[in-house]
Amino acid sequence: MAIPNDPFILLSYINAQLRDFYPSLESFCEDKNADMNEITEKLSAVGYEYNEELNSFV
C-alpha cells in the first residue's frame, strides 16, 4: 500500500502503523522507504507533531 497523500488519512494510517507494528517513526520510515521529513512536515501543516514517548502524532 502506498502512503496516503491526504494529511488526515496519513495521520490515521501512520498512527495505526506505529501503534500496531513499529516502535518508532524512524523504523516505520526505514521499512517503508518513506521520507520522515516529508511526513512530519505534512502532518505539522495540519497541527500534528510526532511525540516520541507516545510513538504517535498528537
Side-chain angles (χ1 to χ4, degrees):
M1 173 181 177
I3 296 174
N5 262 340
D6 178 275
F8 294 104
I9 295 172
L10 176 63
L11 172 67
S12 178
Y13 172 74
I14 293 278
N15 277 344
Q17 291 291 303
L18 293 174
R19 179 190 66 229
D20 296 342
F21 304 111
Y22 297 98
S24 69
L25 179 60
E26 184 177 345
S27 64
F28 168 84
C29 290
E30 287 174 5
D31 187 50
K32 299 290 186 181
N33 197 29
D35 185 325
M36 188 163 41
N37 289 330
E38 183 180 335
I39 290 171
T40 55
E41 286 175 15
K42 218 177 254 193
L43 294 177
S44 179
V46 292
Y48 291 88
E49 300 293 329
Y50 180 65
N51 181 307
E52 198 171 317
E53 282 183 29
L54 299 175
N55 191 33
S56 67
F57 283 86
V58 294

